Amino acid sequence: MSASPHVLGVIPARGGSKSIPLKNIRPLNGMPLLAFTIRAATQSRFLDRCVVSTDHPDIAAAARAHGAEVIERPAELATDQAPTEGALLQVLDVLGRQGYRPEYVVTLEPTSPFRTAALIDRCVATAIGQQDIDCVLTVTETRKCYGRLVGGRFEYLFPDQPRRRQERQPLYEESSTVYVTRTTALERDRSVLGRSRVGVVVTDAREALDINEPLDFLIAEAVLAQRRLEEQHG
């Protein structure tokens, strides 16, 4: 592998959000939600190209206004049932016909406004440094007690955990903040995870905040307000 592999960032931003119409360009602190991810991607040391994949003209216009390259996504790849991988592979096909082929594809969902360029770079560096994996993904730590309902009763997935939260062994949940996938694995398996061992980067819950519901926007606005307050007071 070359010292500086080509690394492509893809921001999948379809227009068909049901919970929040046109969620990806809804204003957050006066900026389209999508713009936060574009900014982090363009500040990355590793991404040599970043594109927004969308089926909606308003999202395309917002993406271009904030300096992103846009690849139009066919309608059949933008339905509720269409997997993100279909859009990623279509981007690879379009760019391949232009003579560009990356060694890694970095999937950046536009619903994570607090994702930093530093986190993207940590993930890419981890992928490059571990040649025996297909993917690196982000996770967050949790010490919650999980279970399932069986016959109307709650059964713990991990029985006999301590009642005190700080005494429990940490669990980790996939955060969907960053996925770095080897291109050959994405094409072979049509999955951002590939099929071999998956690498991991642990991030904090605030950076991994994922906006899916109206309440999430209120939480994000509160986080930004707190940040401004902290900056004002040093």
Side-chain angles (χ1 to χ4, degrees):
M1 178 180 294
S2 62
S4 300
H6 287 303
V7 181
L8 169 68
V10 180
I11 304 172
R14 68 188 186 94
S17 172
K18 295 293 188 295
S19 60
I20 306 173
L22 287 180
K23 170 178 62 179
N24 293 318
I25 53 174
R26 175 169 168 169
L28 174 63
N29 196 37
M31 248 183 9
L33 180 60
L34 175 73
F36 289 85
T37 295
I38 293 173
R39 182 172 61 187
T42 55
Q43 291 174 348
S44 167
R45 295 185 299 109
F46 283 100
L47 301 189
D48 56 10
R49 196 165 181 175
C50 183
V51 303
V52 172
S53 165
T54 187
D55 62 316
H56 199 284
D58 291 350
I59 295 176
R64 292 189 178 101
H66 287 273
E69 180 180 356
V70 173
I71 291 182
E72 294 184 6
R73 191 191 311 187
E76 64 269 20
L77 297 179
T79 66
D80 290 342
Q81 294 75 34
T84 298
E85 284 85 351
L88 302 178
L89 292 167
Q90 188 247 347
V91 166
L92 287 173
D93 180 62
V94 171
L95 296 183
R97 286 186 265 114
Q98 298 174 7
Y100 175 83
R101 178 175 172 79
E103 293 180 50
Y104 294 92
V105 175
V106 182
T107 306
L108 303 169
E109 295 288 350
T111 49
S112 296
F114 301 129
R115 175 205 302 105
T116 62
L119 178 61
I120 296 171
D121 290 343
R122 284 172 59 203
C123 293
V124 176
T126 301
I128 293 173
Q130 299 185 45
Q131 293 301 299
D132 60 337
I133 60 177
D134 285 343
C135 171
V136 169
L137 57 79
T138 49
V139 299
T140 55
E141 179 184 314
T142 179
R143 293 177 187 252
K144 295 178 180 178
C145 289
Y146 290 102
R148 58 171 61 92
L149 295 182
V150 180
R153 293 177 293 104
F154 182 80
E155 292 190 359
Y156 289 99
L157 289 179
F158 303 97
D160 303 322
Q161 294 184 89
R163 295 308 307 154
R164 287 166 52 87
R165 177 184 177 280
Q166 59 267 39
E167 293 176 357
R168 298 176 198 144
Q169 289 295 314
L171 302 173
Y172 296 90
E173 57 183 320
E174 189 175 332
S175 70
S176 303
T177 316
V178 181
Y179 295 92
V180 182
T181 312
R182 197 179 301 276
T183 300
T184 52
L186 176 61
E187 293 173 330
R188 180 191 67 213
D189 304 316
R190 301 183 68 85
S191 168
V192 293
L193 301 179
R195 65 185 180 203
S196 71
R197 188 167 64 91
V198 175
V200 66
V201 169
V202 180
T203 187
D204 66 82
R206 180 183 293 192
E207 186 164 6
L209 177 68
D210 187 33
I211 294 182
N212 288 300
E213 305 293 337
L215 177 61
D216 298 328
F217 267 100
L218 296 177
I219 294 171
E221 292 281 8
V223 170
L224 288 170
Q226 179 63 31
R227 283 186 176 179
R228 289 193 296 270
L229 192 63
E230 291 171 353
E231 290 170 359
Q232 290 171 5
H233 291 83

